[in-house]
Amino acid sequence: MKKAFITGVTGQDGSYLADLLIKKGYQVYGLTRRTSTQNFARIKHLIHNPRLELVSGDLIDQHSLTNALHDVKPDEIYNLAAQSFVKASWEQPVLTGEFTAIGVTRMLDAMRLACPDARFYQASSSEMFGKVREVPQTEQTPFYPRSPYGVAKVYGHWITVNYRESFQMFAVSGILFNHESPRRGLEFVTRKIANGVARVKLGKQSVVELGNLKAKRDWGYAPDYVQAMWLMLQQDQPEDYVVATGQNHSVREFLELACQAAELDDWQAIYQHNPLYDRPAEVDVLVGDASKARRQLGWEPSVTFAELVTLMVEAELELERQNGEE
Ligand code: NAP
Ligand code: F7E
């Protein structure tokens, strides 16, 4: 039985990847950090599944990572843990660097010492392209990050390339564009809109406060994207890949479609601008060219933008109905 080690297993992607790998017959080990209350909401359906074992550790603690990999000796390592919220990276730039940048070196070094023959996936991001140098963005597009998060991810990307080239490790970087789902954190704009619109529909709130509506993103469906991560580690050669739908839409379009999905007539009636949600430096437009992933991995997205918006709004309506009146 193959063994996979996932950092960030309690997050959106980690939970979907655990689902996928368990379905494929893997024994999955998930790194979790100590918290005063458990935050296993996204993996609660797996908690009693013997195919998932939780291992205690933290990206900031080298010893915990080396010990964990030494004990587990995984075949595949997926490094998904990070401080992943771009807005928070201006408020906590040093912590973001510790987790999202140096954390990658800690993981790579733990692997080098404990299980150098394992295969390593690094969760790189389209935020590395930032103020884009070309449209659409490919594996060759130069980086120009626009946030401490983006800067940290550029470091994580290059240290992964460097360990591959220095130590002949099977280490790959997946440059993933935004991917969303009902398991997305509530602070990210898609889930925030889907939830806000559902709450307006059910009379629990009257407006949705947002920042920049003009920003455009290439939004896909998270379960499709974890499939791409797995495919990258099944190849003969370790290479980096862009994963994206190739289509982009504005935040405003997301809001408009979400209102339609909830049968709310007028998106402008429920929208309120709040400068709190504007960013010191914005990434205006991202759109990826995933030709290489399509060609070499046989990967393609299965959910359109309209389907994504609808499924997210429906999930929030269901959730808010279950939560009852306030
Ligand atoms: P997420 O939902 O925010 O999950 C982040 C995970 O990292 C959580 O499990 C969190 O644990 C864990 N974590 C944070 N700091 C840690 C630390 N110091 N030690 C151990 N674990 C720590 O993120 P996601 O959306 O699933 O994204 C997964 C990865 O892909 C991230 O690296 C993100 O930056 C990257 N990425 C995401 C996207 C996207 O659109 N979703 C696109 C490109 C790249 P807790 O539950 O304890 O907080
Ligand atoms: O913002 C605008 C905001 O926070 C998207 C992470 O997974 O994807 C994600 O980063 C856009 C930005 O995601 C609000 O200004 C407007 O232009 O949902 P987001 P993100 O910053 O694109 C990348 C690929 C990652 O790697 C990251 O880890 O929406 N926006 N109004 C808003 N954004 C938020 N969060 N909240 C608002 O009220």
Side-chain angles (χ1 to χ4, degrees), residues 10-13 33 39 58-59 80 84 149 153 179 184:
T10 53
Q12 171 187 256
D13 290 6
R33 48 184 175 163
N39 60 347
D58 197 299
L59 280 189
L80 310 186
S84 76
Y149 169 82
K153 282 288 179 187
H179 44 279
R184 194 48 143 154

Side-chain angles (χ1 to χ4, degrees), residues 120-194:
F120 183 90
Y121 173 86
Q122 166 57 17
S124 288
S125 165
S126 52
E127 281 293 299
M128 301 190 302
F129 298 123
K131 191 170 176 178
V132 297
R133 304 288 90 189
E134 64 180 351
V135 180
Q137 294 85 53
T138 73
E139 293 79 7
Q140 308 307 325
T141 303
F143 300 139
Y144 192 140
R146 292 274 280 172
S147 62
Y149 169 82
V151 173
K153 282 288 179 187
V154 171
Y155 175 94
H157 173 85
W158 282 116
I159 199 69
T160 302
V161 173
N162 181 260
Y163 268 57
R164 175 168 79 214
E165 294 176 354
S166 304
F167 304 114
Q168 288 70 54
M169 283 161 54
F170 194 111
V172 309
S173 168
I175 306 175
L176 271 49
F177 283 61
N178 298 53
H179 44 279
E180 318 294 316
S181 74
R183 295 189 198 170
R184 194 48 143 154
L186 264 170
E187 66 276 34
F188 296 92
V189 80
T190 54
R191 174 100 194 275
K192 182 178 174 182
I193 292 174

